[in-house]
Amino acid sequence: MNVFEAVVVGSSAGGIRALENLLAPLPNDFPLPIIIVQHLHPESESYLPKILATHCALPVKQAEEREIIQAGRVYIAPPNYHLLIEEDYSFSLSLEPPVRYARPSVDVMFETAVYAYRDKLIGIILTGANDDGSYGVKKLKQMGGYVIVQDPKTAEAEAMPKSAIAAAQVDKILPIEQVGVYLLQLVNRSLRGGIS
Amino acid sequence: MDDLDTQNIELQLLLQAIHLKYGYDFKNYAKASIKRRILQRLERDNFKNISEMQHKILYDIDFFENLLLELSLNVAEMFRDPPIYLRLRHKIIPELRKFAHLKIWHVGCSTGEEVYSMAILLKEEGLYERSQIYATDMNKQLLKQAKDGIYDIKKLRQYTANYQKAGGLESFSDYYSAHYNHVVMNKSLKEHILFSDHNLATDGVFGEMNLIMARNILIYFNRELQNRALGLFFDSLSTGGFLCLGLKESIRFADCAKYFEEVHKDEKIYRKF
Ligand SMILES: C[S@@+](CC[C@H](N)C(=O)[O-])C[C@H]1O[C@@H](n2cnc3c(N)ncnc32)[C@H](O)[C@@H]1O
């Protein structure tokens, strides 16, 4: 079993509620970084870290260029920039053109996360009204990582989870209330498996 | 060592080959974005691996120039981040007004949108005639487009909205002539702009500037190259000169940071003292 090193999350329409659900069950000693791309209006203020922090025991902040990624923190992509993950586990930002209308793009973040964390990565796709993230999920599965998708039936917008499920053999499909708890179990199990 | 490690070796060799053959040094760029673009190109053109593509890059200049455009990450916008231009208009321009001659350097000017935005601002503030604008980029193809000043008409709606939010005093349509599907910026905006190529990784100082606009370039560099570039900006500024960076960029980690005062934090405007 893999010893996971990071969690990446993609969400779009309806995502803020879903992210609150995902983060709420995680304890303050959660051992991995959680890196989130949520589609936002390009000119929106970055209020998202504040909102999520009130629902979460972990510190939540906007990712900054060249920042070193640390375990037990939640990072959010800034609006209107792509968020990329470097192989030395730091962040880059980029103003490359939107990918399939999205900037930040889930695909761009997932793809670069796969280069950095390889098979030690957990990817989570939540609600959204487009297919951003499905290419990233495909890459993640090719590399041997683990993918959880929100059950489209419980999603405010089903396109994003649906296309992720169609893109690759994902590992787990769960209603949103169960995703956080499952993630916690998965990570704990992997850590124990890694020790023995 | 697995295939991914091998791929990283190939990538490193490719960047070295590009440097040796064409003079562009990407060694100190943030890797993730470059790697993503190279691998995308590889997939699209059905190369087996980076080494195979390297052969094509070394022997086919057109292929390389095309790739260079993709690596340049050139996205530009007129009056991008309008609040910056409000600040420039209301806080920086009054300072610049004190000089008889102004020298302004637009670094990494890409296709020129930002330079024309500045020219318009200076015109409206009555400073254009005594200004000399230097617009540089490492990419000659982009510079040529910048010089032409021709833009897709589809983008004009957004540019006009930006212009208005940026405190524009006239009607934006006064500054260009519209054709079927594109617009051409007025000749009078170009009179005091000098376009030339300059690479922050390999070239030197550009003297005695009053204002340097270097927005959204440093984010693509690692700390070492950021430090080099910021050192160049420092050396190219006259005392009291201003430096304006992109919204997500900072001078904090550079050696020269201690010689700058942060004058407008949110807009990333610094002043050399
Ligand atoms: C994202 S664009 C920024 C355009 C503009 N400053 C803006 O903010 O709208 C980045 C530009 O930097 C240029 N660039 C990249 N590396 C460079 C280097 N080493 N020296 C000079 N220009 C460079 C690219 O060619 C590209 O045009």
Side-chain angles (χ1 to χ4, degrees):
Chain A
M1 147 150 284
N2 301 346
V3 181
F4 296 114
E5 287 181 357
V7 182
V8 289
V9 183
S11 53
S12 187
I16 296 177
R17 285 260 302 281
L19 288 168
E20 290 170 2
N21 267 298
L22 165 70
L23 296 173
L26 304 180
N28 65 5
D29 61 352
F30 186 76
L32 307 184
I34 300 175
I35 304 157
I36 299 172
V37 165
Q38 157 73 42
H39 295 158
L40 294 166
H41 188 274
E43 284 170 35
S44 65
E45 288 298 317
S46 37
Y47 55 86
L48 187 56
K50 280 198 201 104
I51 297 182
L52 293 181
T54 62
H55 294 265
C56 175
L58 301 164
V60 185
K61 73 181 296 286
Q62 199 176 84
E64 293 175 51
E65 61 102 26
R66 304 281 92 77
E67 180 174 7
I68 306 287
I69 299 169
Q70 296 188 23
R73 297 208 176 169
V74 179
Y75 299 95
I76 317 277
N80 208 20
Y81 289 78
H82 289 302
L83 179 65
L84 294 86
I85 296 171
E86 298 291 335
E87 289 174 38
D88 64 0
Y89 309 130
S90 65
F91 290 119
S92 283
L93 300 178
S94 153
L95 277 173
E96 288 160 71
V99 175
R100 288 191 273 177
Y101 305 104
R103 191 171 67 195
S105 139
V106 179
D107 281 337
V108 170
M109 193 270 277
F110 273 39
E111 183 185 346
T112 53
V114 168
Y115 300 143
Y117 292 103
R118 305 192 177 183
D119 61 348
K120 300 184 168 36
L121 186 64
I122 300 171
I124 302 179
I125 294 290
L126 303 175
T127 172
N130 52 55
D131 64 353
D132 189 17
S134 54
Y135 177 79
V137 160
K138 206 168 96 193
K139 288 269 157 190
L140 213 157
K141 281 315 299 172
Q142 276 170 7
M143 193 67 77
Y146 195 97
V147 173
I148 306 172
V149 179
Q150 174 177 4
D151 185 344
K153 289 199 290 289
T154 72
E156 229 173 283
E158 59 176 21
M160 207 153 123
K162 259 193 168 161
S163 48
I165 292 165
Q169 187 72 38
V170 305
D171 297 278
K172 202 79 188 172
I173 300 168
L174 290 171
I176 188 63
E177 304 76 38
Q178 293 172 29
V179 177
V181 174
Y182 184 82
L183 172 67
L184 186 58
Q185 290 167 355
L186 178 70
V187 169
N188 285 337
R189 235 187 304 145
S190 110
L191 284 181
R192 280 199 303 275
I195 291 161
S196 61
Chain B
M1 185 173 296
D2 60 17
D3 286 357
L4 281 174
D5 296 319
T6 309
Q7 193 174 58
N8 280 338
I9 294 173
E10 288 181 291
L11 182 66
Q12 208 178 327
L13 292 173
L14 173 66
L15 296 185
Q16 210 177 340
I18 289 175
H19 188 195
L20 290 172
K21 166 100 190 195
Y22 297 106
Y24 293 99
D25 185 1
F26 287 105
K27 178 174 75 257
N28 288 320
Y29 279 56
K31 283 276 158 353
S33 152
I34 295 218
K35 178 161 168 177
R36 199 181 139 257
R37 310 220 130 210
I38 301 256
L39 292 183
Q40 264 180 0
R41 191 60 202 246
L42 190 115
E43 236 170 70
R44 192 156 18 108
D45 292 356
N46 285 317
F47 290 107
K48 276 206 293 294
N49 50 46
I50 294 179
S51 305
E52 197 182 82
M53 191 161 94
Q54 174 171 321
H55 183 84
K56 180 92 173 158
I57 288 170
L58 286 177
Y59 287 95
D60 182 341
I61 292 192
D62 291 339
F63 183 84
F64 168 72
E65 296 217 316
N66 221 305
L67 183 73
L68 181 65
L69 273 183
E70 288 171 20
L71 293 180
S72 292
L73 311 160
N74 57 306
V75 275
E77 224 176 86
M78 294 225 191
F79 295 96
R80 189 208 295 272
D81 308 320
I84 305 282
Y85 289 89
L86 276 178
R87 271 283 187 235
L88 289 170
R89 192 187 283 272
H90 296 304
K91 299 288 177 189
I92 307 304
I93 294 281
E95 295 292 326
L96 298 180
R97 217 181 275 293
K98 297 172 185 162
F99 296 95
H101 299 283
L102 285 177
K103 286 169 89 176
I104 299 172
W105 182 15
H106 277 266
V107 186
C109 70
S110 188
T111 35
E113 289 83 341
E114 194 186 69
V115 189
Y116 290 112
S117 308
M118 177 62 75
I120 289 170
L121 175 62
L122 291 170
K123 268 212 186 287
E124 294 188 355
E125 295 297 323
L127 291 181
Y128 188 72
E129 295 311 318
R130 49 171 139 143
S131 300
Q132 178 61 55
I133 301 178
Y134 301 88
T136 65
D137 201 281
M138 68 165 183
N139 189 322
K140 293 199 188 82
Q141 295 175 80
L142 296 177
L143 275 173
K144 163 126 191 10
Q145 290 179 45
K147 211 181 286 187
D148 291 343
I150 298 174
Y151 302 105
D152 188 342
I153 209 157
K154 288 202 286 288
K155 297 194 172 152
L156 259 288
R157 183 202 291 265
Q158 158 148 46
Y159 293 172
T160 306
N162 283 358
Y163 169 75
Q164 283 157 358
K165 283 188 222 160
L169 301 178
E170 309 291 331
S171 159
F172 191 55
S173 57
D174 294 346
Y175 295 110
Y176 59 80
S177 53
H179 298 261
Y180 171 58
N181 55 2
H182 62 270
V183 303
V184 185
M185 301 313 290
N186 288 353
K187 245 207 182 92
S188 69
L189 290 173
K190 302 180 189 175
E191 277 164 10
H192 293 250
I193 307 175
L194 211 65
F195 292 94
S196 58
D197 63 306
H198 181 281
N199 190 326
L200 291 168
T202 43
D203 292 331
V205 172
F206 236 73
E208 291 298 290
M209 297 292 155
N210 302 101
L211 169 64
I212 297 181
M213 301 289 290
R215 308 194 60 231
N216 307 310
I217 305 149
L218 296 180
I219 42 173
Y220 301 109
F221 295 171
N222 71 12
R223 285 271 187 254
E224 189 183 330
L225 188 51
Q226 288 184 355
N227 194 42
R228 180 188 202 274
L230 285 164
L232 274 184
F233 302 157
F234 175 77
D235 290 335
S236 305
L237 274 174
S238 60
T239 304
F242 294 94
L243 170 65
C244 182
L245 301 179
L247 289 182
K248 298 293 173 194
E249 295 168 332
S250 162
I251 199 170
R252 197 157 78 246
F253 305 95
D255 296 335
C256 61
K258 51 181 177 293
Y259 305 113
F260 280 99
E261 174 194 1
E262 189 177 58
V263 282
H264 297 290
K265 187 165 182 281
D266 290 344
E267 290 82 13
K268 296 291 156 80
I269 302 176
Y270 302 86
R271 185 169 203 178
K272 172 175 169 175
F273 56 75

